[in-house]
Amino acid sequence: MKKFFTISEFADLRDININSLRYYERIGILTPAYTDPQTKYRYYSDEQLIQLDIIKLAVDLEIPLKTLKSYFKNGALDNITLFEDSKALAITKIKEMQNRIASINYALYMFEDCEKYLNNELYTRTIKKRTLMVKECENDLSNVKAVSRTTTAVMKYAKSKNIPLVFPMGIMILYKADTVKYYVCFHTAIEVENGELNAICLPEAEFECIKKKCSVSEYRTVAESTFNCSEGTIVLAFAVPNKDNADNLIEFQTVRL
């Protein structure tokens, strides 16, 4: 057996775990050159180091190992296709990271700007143009389960469309001529076209605001006892961080369209 490496020796040559080699064998991308029929010990050949290097390359390029077989044609690796696919994956991941950074920066902007103002006092705040992902709630805000289901629906839809949401979620209350509508809403740091779950764009405007401690079911009461909620009024409510560690501190933002 001098021409073969034991599984431990073979793994050490490329500094990988022997369990990884067993996994590669299990999915059919690197089978031992020889398996002792009595001891069941696995042995690998020097030539198989090339295959192992290809597997390690695929791991580095984040190519799913279960698809690695498809890159071999007549036993030879299709290098061009492998690298083209890895490039496409890298571009997608870069975009995802850029969207994530944009979402974090937007959340920081909203939080830091909000911290300038005292709790329980009215103030006017200029908020720059923003895009919201919204979906109407099944019932009013007293039905916590319905609000949670709507929140989940928005999150699933955004994930399916690769739309990065800015947390925390919020509630939008829209006052129409003869009714009041409730929506779950999330900021997003990118432009979004109108779709199944409406994406709305709010222009830069001065919002009348107040920060209060309250629960979701109390949002409408707080809004109507604080602001003039006439027809065309939009009330947005978002949880905000606070230095006093108070739970359920909400910033209410109000504007008329």
Side-chain angles (χ1 to χ4, degrees):
M1 305 300 293
K2 291 184 178 179
K3 66 177 182 178
F4 291 114
F5 298 101
T6 65
I7 190 171
S8 297
E9 291 172 336
F10 196 67
D12 287 343
L13 288 172
R14 290 298 184 267
D15 193 28
I16 65 172
N17 193 291
I18 60 174
N19 288 328
S20 296
L21 290 176
R22 292 191 177 106
Y23 174 69
Y24 302 156
E25 178 186 0
R26 192 161 61 249
I27 63 175
I29 60 174
L30 182 58
T31 303
Y34 174 75
T35 301
D36 189 299
Q38 294 182 340
T39 65
K40 305 301 181 183
Y41 288 168
R42 297 167 173 82
Y43 297 91
Y44 295 83
S45 67
D46 180 66
E47 292 81 4
Q48 288 184 296
L49 285 172
I50 297 175
Q51 291 177 263
L52 184 56
D53 288 338
I54 291 170
I55 293 171
K56 285 174 61 66
L57 174 64
V59 171
D60 290 341
L61 297 176
E62 299 190 6
I63 297 292
L65 292 181
K66 290 184 178 180
T67 68
L68 191 58
K69 281 185 175 180
S70 64
Y71 293 98
F72 285 88
K73 296 180 179 178
N74 299 320
L77 177 66
D78 184 353
N79 293 288
I80 293 177
T81 302
L82 178 64
F83 279 97
E84 284 178 344
D85 288 354
S86 64
K87 178 181 177 181
L89 281 173
I91 290 172
T92 298
K93 287 187 175 294
I94 289 171
K95 184 176 180 180
E96 289 174 353
M97 290 303 298
Q98 289 173 335
N99 287 341
R100 190 174 301 174
I101 292 170
S103 297
I104 292 170
N105 285 338
Y106 189 86
L108 288 172
Y109 153 72
M110 293 296 288
F111 289 155
E112 290 170 356
D113 193 47
C114 180
E115 283 187 340
K116 300 174 184 176
Y117 307 98
L118 298 175
N119 298 347
N120 301 312
E121 292 185 9
L122 284 168
Y123 55 90
T124 300
R125 180 182 174 198
T126 300
I127 301 179
K128 63 185 181 181
K129 178 183 175 181
R130 51 183 161 162
T131 301
L132 297 175
M133 293 294 296
V134 304
K135 182 173 174 59
E136 186 174 354
C137 294
E138 301 170 14
N139 303 97
D140 61 30
L141 300 180
S142 64
N143 190 327
V144 177
K145 288 186 177 180
V147 174
S148 296
R149 284 194 296 269
T150 306
T151 303
T152 300
V154 176
M155 294 171 69
K156 286 183 176 179
Y157 177 80
K159 183 177 181 180
S160 71
K161 299 295 184 179
N162 294 318
I163 300 171
L165 300 179
V166 178
F167 289 85
M169 56 81 70
I171 294 293
M172 182 175 76
I173 306 174
L174 176 60
Y175 289 83
K176 295 189 174 183
D178 55 354
T179 187
V180 177
K181 298 283 189 179
Y182 305 93
Y183 302 82
V184 166
C185 61
F186 285 88
H187 289 104
T188 178
I190 64 172
E191 295 291 334
V192 182
E193 297 180 358
N194 287 340
E196 178 183 344
L197 299 177
N198 294 329
I200 64 170
C201 181
L202 295 178
E204 180 173 312
E206 288 192 347
F207 287 76
E208 191 176 11
C209 304
I210 195 168
K211 290 189 286 186
K212 282 189 172 287
K213 181 180 177 181
C214 62
S215 62
V216 174
S217 61
E218 299 173 303
Y219 283 6
R220 181 176 177 180
T221 301
V222 171
E224 293 179 355
S225 64
T226 307
F227 309 109
N228 177 19
C229 297
S230 55
E231 180 183 354
T233 298
I234 288 180
V235 178
L236 297 168
F238 291 95
V240 294
N242 62 96
K243 297 177 181 178
D244 299 328
N245 294 319
D247 293 330
N248 302 323
L249 184 63
I250 307 300
E251 183 186 49
F252 292 85
Q253 307 163 359
T254 306
V255 70
R256 286 195 65 190
L257 297 182

